[in-house]
Amino acid sequence: SVGHRGTIRDYPDFSPSVDAEAIRKAIRGIGTDEKMLISILTERSNAQRQLIVKEYQAAYGKELKDDLKGDLSGHFEHLMVALVTPPAVFDAKQLKKSMKGAGTNEDALTEILTTRTSRQMKEISQAYYTVYKKSLGDDISSETSGDFRKALLTLADGRRDESLKVDEHLAKKDAQILYKAGENRWGTDEDKFTEILCLRSFPQLKLTFDEYRNISQKDIVDSIKGELSGHFEDLLLAIVHCVRNTPAFLAERLHRALKGAGTDEFTLNRIMVSRSEIDLLDIRIEFKKHYGYSLYSAIKSDTSGDYEITLLKICGGDD
């Protein structure tokens, strides 16, 4: 079940004050004790890490993330800071980064907005406003355009149905609407695709895609590829992939981040940290199944130093 397929769980004999003190010592000592930092921060759940952050602030009058930033560097620093950031704030920051500067990182926007639940999206939007004093919707609007923008805004609204009940009649009706909006007309009615794919629950969409195949004799993926293009097409394909198997979708993103020249640490850190208490065990299984080697070994061969050690601890084991 959701939330129990993570690699990181609550630490049993947890004491925020003991941990805060140990972290303070690790940072204050002559030379940083990275091993101590890693063992504490990767063996506590995010909720527990937030209590350490509070305790650290109370005891030392300092923000833990600022002390980590002052003491560590590079990818290792980014990863450690990510670990002490509340999940909604972390996602908000990732979204902001995706839209900052020249060019937008559409892949990151797509990945975050397609894999978060409606409840998570509402929390992320709140965090975004708190941190940046701007609404997430406004930033998406100014950084993207067209049907891609419309779909992102619909997802960012957090209005996707979360119920597990499926309605067979609705699935038939929606499948028919999708067929009429795409394969069965001149030109495509993109809005219909956005409405159905961005608002219906995942179990409901699964059934709708089955019905779609019955009506059109085609897989929805092939229709989307044939009818749509660009970032909008990528976004809808991502939704279909997530509906069918979210861990497999994320395993594919990790595989892309870890292969070829240079590692995409931005993606690697985001997925490892944000899924560590949700479905990282399932992502590991899908990774091994699709690529023939383990996520653990991919991280091992592609990263190094304390950064590697931390990622491997989050990964939780070899398959």
Side-chain angles (χ1 to χ4, degrees):
S1 70
V2 173
H4 300 288
R5 298 293 298 157
T7 52
I8 294 180
R9 297 168 172 273
D10 279 335
Y11 187 73
D13 298 311
F14 175 61
S15 161
S17 58
V18 169
D19 285 347
E21 195 181 334
I23 288 173
R24 182 70 172 168
K25 279 202 184 109
I27 292 175
R28 286 303 296 273
I30 296 175
T32 307
D33 183 353
E34 287 88 358
K35 302 287 168 283
M36 174 63 86
L37 287 179
I38 294 167
S39 77
I40 295 174
L41 294 178
T42 59
E43 290 173 27
R44 309 293 185 269
S45 65
N46 195 287
Q48 291 176 330
R49 297 193 293 264
Q50 295 318 310
L51 295 173
I52 297 172
V53 168
K54 271 205 184 77
E55 183 66 42
Y56 193 92
Q57 171 82 49
Y60 309 111
K62 291 278 212 36
E63 286 268 4
L64 176 52
K65 72 170 185 324
D66 295 338
D67 278 357
L68 291 171
K69 282 179 181 171
D71 224 52
L72 310 173
S73 64
H75 304 308
F76 177 52
E77 174 207 322
H78 295 153
L79 184 55
M80 296 303 266
V81 170
L83 287 171
V84 300
T85 306
V89 176
F90 179 60
D91 280 341
K93 292 191 161 173
Q94 295 278 306
L95 287 167
K96 184 68 168 180
K97 249 189 219 160
S98 305
M99 295 186 279
K100 263 223 312 253
T104 303
N105 184 337
E106 290 88 2
D107 275 357
L109 286 181
T110 294
E111 177 214 301
I112 296 168
L113 292 174
T114 54
T115 54
R116 302 307 186 251
T117 64
S118 296
R119 200 168 111 215
Q120 285 174 313
M121 275 321 306
K122 290 198 168 72
E123 288 168 4
I124 293 163
S125 293
Q126 256 172 327
Y128 196 95
Y129 192 78
T130 304
V131 177
Y132 301 111
K133 304 291 172 271
K134 273 191 86 170
S135 87
L136 174 59
D138 287 349
D139 277 352
I140 289 173
S141 284
S142 61
E143 293 301 323
T144 58
S145 63
D147 294 304
F148 181 56
R149 173 203 281 165
K150 256 190 218 171
L152 288 175
L153 289 172
T154 307
L155 292 171
D157 247 0
R159 287 185 300 139
R160 186 186 291 289
D161 177 25
E162 292 287 329
S163 93
L164 300 173
K165 281 215 235 9
V166 292
D167 176 341
E168 216 166 310
H169 177 70
L170 180 66
K172 284 193 164 72
K173 203 173 99 185
D174 280 349
Q176 200 70 54
I177 291 171
L178 289 172
Y179 182 58
K180 288 208 177 94
E183 291 292 342
N184 209 19
R185 62 171 275 173
W186 291 99
T188 309
D189 183 350
E190 286 86 0
D191 284 354
K192 292 280 186 281
F193 277 86
T194 296
E195 238 162 80
I196 292 170
L197 269 65
C198 296
L199 293 175
R200 302 284 186 257
S201 74
F202 277 14
Q204 181 67 31
L205 285 172
K206 217 177 221 149
L207 189 59
T208 304
F209 299 155
D210 291 344
E211 292 294 346
Y212 184 86
R213 188 187 272 280
N214 293 339
I215 297 167
S216 69
Q217 307 306 307
K218 270 182 117 159
D219 190 77
I220 187 78
V221 164
D222 298 320
S223 291
I224 290 170
K225 283 180 175 167
E227 298 290 320
L228 305 166
S229 64
H231 300 307
F232 181 55
E233 176 195 350
D234 294 338
L235 178 64
L236 294 190
L237 290 173
I239 293 172
V240 175
H241 199 162
C242 287
V243 164
R244 289 179 168 161
N245 191 334
T246 299
F249 171 72
L250 290 167
E252 189 194 324
R253 304 303 285 243
L254 283 172
H255 183 249
R256 235 189 294 168
L258 284 161
K259 78 175 214 281
T263 308
D264 173 3
E265 288 87 4
F266 181 54
T267 300
L268 184 55
N269 291 357
R270 179 176 59 251
I271 297 176
M272 294 299 286
V273 172
S274 68
R275 307 313 284 192
S276 61
E277 292 176 45
I278 299 173
D279 55 2
L280 192 49
L281 288 172
D282 293 324
I283 293 169
R284 275 168 42 183
I285 291 168
E286 295 296 336
F287 194 99
K288 179 79 185 257
K289 194 166 93 190
H290 286 90
Y291 307 111
Y293 52 93
S294 67
L295 175 58
Y296 193 91
S297 65
I299 292 168
K300 220 173 157 59
S301 66
D302 222 54
T303 58
S304 62
D306 292 319
Y307 181 55
E308 175 196 346
I309 293 167
T310 312
L311 285 170
L312 292 176
K313 291 266 302 204
I314 297 169
C315 185
D318 203 345
D319 296 301

